[in-house]
Structures are given as structure tokens and as C-alpha cells.
Amino acid sequence: MPVARRGAFIDLDGYDRLCAQAEDGERLEYIDGQVFRMMVGGSTAHHALTRRLDNLIADRLAPDGPCASFRETMRLEAGAARFYPDVFVSCGGRVVPDPDMKGVASATVILEVLSPSTERYDRGRKWLAYQSLPDLRHFVLVAQDQRRIEAFHREGTGWRYELLQAPDAALRLDAVAVDLRLDEIYAVVPMLATESHDRPPRPVFGPAHLARIAGLKGLAVSRGVEALLAELDGDECAAAVTVLVGMAGPPAKEPWKAVLPERLHHRLDTALHGAA
């Protein structure tokens, strides 16, 4: 997980001072008054996939269009938050190269290559903050240890979840008119260049992760609810997360009924309020 710098909450001016003092290659992200130091380094697969995604997207963007792609060295300014996505596409007006320009203020597509140290952060707090970007249309999570891509596509006030694993699957980024096949994305990682059925799929969402996202969304997570979450399998956890990230505004009166599978609804009142 990214390391949060110790100390009291700081304002943007304090964040800018920390950035000016940062070592070469160190990336500091800023959410809700807290600074997160992104771990320097990364696997060769992570670097190869990041470079590959950026190159593929840049080659397919309309040459005279308003969109431009960036890698992790360019800062994304999302309201009062500051991020360094692995790859993102900005279409908020033509970005003119300028020596004094240190960040971009809009993103239409964001892609994060998952790492063990940052996956919880990317899926949780960072993703929730990204949802506040009014121009964001696609948020994509790319696994580096298996051929697996997850995409969240904005639809109205919510988000549609898509899982891509099939050999002929393609990631469609309609907002920027770019399609990417899994084969061409993973061609730069030899062990993943062709689909292998020898590697079992790695569970992505678990009850603990689901409870954490629910808390960030403002849902009460009682011990009774935690017990129900522990009964969910991987597919049910993934479906529940899809509902949670698609929630807009404050929680509804009975949000857990929308999140949990119907088979657990008859035990929900007891879980929330305790036995009568």
C-alpha cells in the first residue's frame, strides 16, 4: 500500500512544498488533506504494460483531435486531489506543451496497472476520488500477473462493471474511440502473451475489501453485516462492489438490500439491528 506521510492534515500549499522537496522519481499523491508517497520502482511487467498501454492509445487517438495521453510522470489535478495515474487520457481542451505546466486538470480515461503494494489503494480510496472527475468516462484496472482487465464505464449517474479475460476480448474505450485487444496489450509480457489455463484465476474482491468500500461510501458496517459479507463468494463480492461504486449521492434508506444477494435479505434486519 502507498505510504501515507505522518503528521497532521495539510493544505495544497503544504503538499506543493513537499513535492518540491521530493527525491527524483518520487511521486506524492494528495487526497482529503493526506499525502501518500507512491513506492518508487516496480516490476518490469508493470513498466512494460504501462508503456504499452500509453503507446497503443497514443497511436489510435485522432491525430488532430482534442485528446492526449500521459504516463505516470504527469500529475492529474482532480479538484483538490492530486494523482499520478499510470496512464490517462485528457480531452478537456488541447494540451499545449509548456515548460511551466506541471499538471493536467481533466481525464476522460484512467488506466492503473495493479501492483500488490497499491491494489487496495487503487481499488478503494483512489477510485472513489476519481469518480468525482466530471469528464471521466472509463476507469480501467490492468492485472500484471494474469490476463485480466476490469473496466468501469460511466452510464448516467452510475458505473457499469466489465471483466475481460477471454482470449478474443477487447477493451472498448468509446469516449475516445479506441479499442484495445487483450492479445496486443499483454504481448509485452511473455508469460501472459498467450492465454494459459494452468494459472487459476486470482480472487479480486473479498469480504474485507467490500466492507472497506462500503464504509467509504457511507454505509454502516455492523458485526452482523460483516458476518453476512463473510458468506459471499468471489462472484457475489464482485457484483456487490459493482453496485457500491455505482451508487450516486448519499446512501438510500436500505442500501444493503441493493448490495447483498437476495438469498441473504431475510437475515438483513437482524444483522443491522440485532435480535429483537
Side-chain angles (χ1 to χ4, degrees), residues 183-203:
D183 281 343
E184 59 185 343
I185 293 172
Y186 284 106
V188 294
V189 184
M191 65 175 287
L192 303 177
T194 57
E195 179 66 16
S196 171
H197 298 288
D198 297 332
R199 293 183 298 273
R202 177 175 55 85

Side-chain angles (χ1 to χ4, degrees), residues 62-68 90-95:
D64 297 321
C67 300
S90 176
C91 301
R94 185 175 298 278
V95 179

Side-chain angles (χ1 to χ4, degrees), residues 48-152:
L49 285 168
T50 298
R51 183 172 60 250
R52 180 68 165 173
L53 288 164
D54 183 41
N55 290 341
L56 288 172
I57 292 172
D59 287 345
R60 294 175 192 184
L61 291 175
D64 297 321
C67 300
S69 66
F70 301 93
R71 284 194 215 166
E72 68 275 341
T73 55
M74 176 58 71
R75 186 167 67 194
L76 173 61
E77 300 175 352
R82 300 291 185 266
F83 302 104
Y84 288 89
D86 286 325
V87 178
F88 71 100
V89 179
S90 176
C91 301
R94 185 175 298 278
V95 179
V96 179
D98 184 337
D100 295 324
M101 189 174 189
K102 305 299 184 182
V104 176
S106 70
T108 303
V109 180
I110 295 176
L111 303 98
E112 298 282 6
V113 178
L114 296 173
S115 297
S117 62
T118 62
E119 182 168 354
R120 285 186 60 192
Y121 175 62
D122 288 339
R123 291 184 180 279
R125 193 167 187 178
K126 196 172 185 181
W127 166 220
L128 291 175
Y130 281 158
Q131 291 179 51
S132 66
L133 287 163
D135 296 334
L136 186 63
R137 293 296 178 268
H138 307 283
F139 175 63
V140 182
L141 297 168
V142 180
Q144 63 168 301
D145 59 348
Q146 59 179 307
R147 288 165 56 102
R148 181 188 182 102
I149 290 179
E150 298 166 81
F152 294 88

